């Protein structure tokens, strides 16, 4: 079968997907228990806290690889909780910018130590420094290859190109 993955490719694919699923599950449990956050909500808050400046909804959607409608819903929940503020962009009337509030920064600071502990325990602990270097290089190359595709925000929507 010409379209099938070779055994080594299939084994690698399944190992990667299983490891990502296990890590994501543990991280999600920790974030929910310590902060009442979903993973995507944490990712949005962490990106905003790290950016030092407001980001547009498109920048956030592309950065977290999440649908525009899903991101709008999540940003609405975070805004309702007082963790972010959305406003029209001063540079582009069509864009909405999102800023993290002090309460949002405090929540990120509260859940971050537990998040780091989960990542260290499950991902970093079984790896040597050389393993981390190799894995980091490989995953950066794969990520960059995937990111070379047009961003999700440029994808067609209801048959139109935006």
């Amino acid at each position: 079968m010409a379209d099938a993955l070779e055994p080594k490719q299939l084994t690698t694919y399944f190992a990667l997907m299983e490891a990502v699923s296990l890590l994501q599950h543990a991280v999600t449990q920790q974030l929910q228990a310590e902060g009442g956050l979903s993973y995507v909500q944490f990712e949005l808050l962490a990106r905003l806290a790290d950016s030092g400046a407001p980001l547009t909804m498109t920048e956030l959607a592309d950065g977290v690889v999440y649908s525009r409608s899903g991101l709008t819903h999540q940003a609405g929940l975070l805004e309702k909780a007082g963790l972010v503020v959305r406003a029209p962009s001063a540079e582009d009337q069509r864009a909405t910018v999102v800023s993290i509030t002090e309460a949002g920064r405090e929540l990120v600071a509260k859940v971050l130590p537990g998040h780091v502990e989960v990542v260290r325990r499950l991902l970093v602990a079984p790896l040597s420094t050389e393993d981390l270097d190799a894995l980091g290089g490989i995953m950066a190359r794969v990520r960059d290859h995937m990111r070379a595709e047009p961003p999700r925000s440029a994808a067609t929507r209801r048959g139109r190109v935006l």
Side-chain angles (χ1 to χ4, degrees), residues 15-145:
L16 173 65
M17 296 306 288
E18 185 177 358
V20 168
S21 293
L22 290 166
L23 181 61
Q24 183 111 19
H25 177 74
V27 164
T28 298
Q29 285 187 313
Q30 177 268 326
L31 292 170
Q32 184 62 48
E34 293 182 20
L37 294 171
S38 68
Y39 178 75
V40 74
Q41 289 170 338
F42 168 75
E43 195 173 10
L44 293 172
L45 290 172
R47 284 183 182 274
L48 288 167
D50 191 50
S51 74
L55 297 173
T56 67
M57 292 290 283
T58 299
E59 290 169 328
L60 284 169
D62 289 344
V64 300
V65 191
Y66 206 65
S67 72
R68 289 175 286 228
S69 62
L71 182 71
T72 298
H73 175 70
Q74 294 299 325
L77 293 174
L78 292 172
E79 186 172 41
K80 192 175 193 179
L83 304 172
V84 301
V85 175
R86 294 182 289 177
S89 170
E91 289 85 38
D92 182 352
Q93 305 294 323
R94 300 167 296 167
T96 298
V97 294
V98 184
S99 304
I100 190 168
T101 64
E102 189 55 38
R105 288 184 192 287
E106 289 171 5
L107 186 55
V108 170
K110 175 184 171 186
V111 300
L112 197 55
H115 180 74
V116 168
E117 188 279 323
V118 169
V119 172
R120 279 193 179 133
R121 180 172 42 87
L122 295 179
L123 178 63
V124 177
L127 302 177
S128 68
T129 302
E130 294 79 18
D131 290 339
L132 279 171
D133 289 342
L135 182 60
I138 290 165
M139 294 315 302
R141 194 166 62 242
V142 170
R143 179 208 55 222
D144 293 347
H145 173 76

Side-chain angles (χ1 to χ4, degrees), residues 68-69 153-162:
R68 289 175 286 228
S69 62
S153 60
T156 58
R157 190 178 188 182
R158 296 191 188 125
R160 300 182 323 221
V161 176
L162 296 177

